[in-house]
Amino acid sequence: MGPGVTSHEVEHGNICGTLFLPPGQGLHPLVLDIFDTQPGRSEYRATMLASKGYASLWLSYFAFKHLPNSVTTLHMDYFFEALDYLQNVPKGNRGRVGVVGSSKGAEIAIVLAGLSRDVKAVLGLNSSYVFRGFETKGKPTYLLDPQGS
């Protein structure tokens, strides 16, 4: 973790993760970091972003605390809740919000960016080009696994 970066465990509403805040005053751009489907904490990208001046939230979305043990069904409301939380952190510039994800996290990031007017930038790393199992049911609510189960 870079000099002056602070980390804060987040358990707010339904979301779980770690918030990393950069040093210094002023409003910092915000990044929601959604990693792949490897178990455990993959916070290194969020810490690096904080050391570069971004307030970043590493978001867990399965196999962590009270979250589901698999990615069979992912409720998009969970990710919207995380965006809302991130936009209300101290020292955050809610007008400058980005989402980064890798693998399954990239799929989520791309869908989230397409559905939210608040997301101004998205970076999908190693994403599928087909998001099978995405259901709208009148409004975006689910992102399912590639087998569509």
Side-chain angles (χ1 to χ4, degrees):
M1 195 158 38
V5 171
T6 58
S7 67
H8 310 272
E9 289 291 315
V10 174
E11 286 190 55
H12 184 269
N14 293 313
I15 64 169
C16 292
T18 308
L19 176 67
F20 296 93
L21 295 175
Q25 299 300 315
L27 298 177
H28 299 284
L30 303 165
V31 176
L32 180 61
D33 186 7
I34 308 169
F35 236 84
D36 57 22
T37 56
Q38 298 299 313
R41 300 172 86 114
S42 299
E43 298 173 333
Y44 65 86
R45 187 169 53 211
T47 60
M48 183 272 303
L49 287 165
S51 71
K52 301 295 183 186
Y54 296 87
S56 57
L57 174 62
W58 168 79
L59 183 66
S60 182
Y61 58 98
F62 81 103
F64 190 77
K65 301 199 179 195
H66 68 276
L67 300 173
N69 287 327
S70 72
V71 293
T72 302
T73 302
L74 299 174
H75 296 265
M76 291 304 294
D77 290 342
Y78 177 76
F79 302 97
F80 283 107
E81 185 179 344
L83 270 180
D84 185 58
Y85 172 83
L86 183 62
Q87 289 178 294
N88 289 291
V89 300
K91 301 191 327 180
N93 184 342
R94 64 180 300 127
R96 297 180 66 196
V97 179
V99 182
V100 60
S102 53
S103 190
K104 178 58 89 178
E107 294 178 24
I108 297 164
I110 291 167
V111 171
L112 188 60
L115 298 173
S116 173
R117 293 180 181 193
D118 296 328
V119 176
K120 305 301 184 204
V122 63
L123 176 60
L125 304 166
N126 301 342
S127 171
S128 169
Y129 62 92
V130 176
F131 307 115
R132 288 183 277 185
F134 181 65
E135 298 178 11
T136 57
K137 295 184 180 180
K139 70 174 192 143
T141 54
Y142 300 102
L143 185 66
L144 301 176
D145 74 348
Q147 287 77 36
S149 55

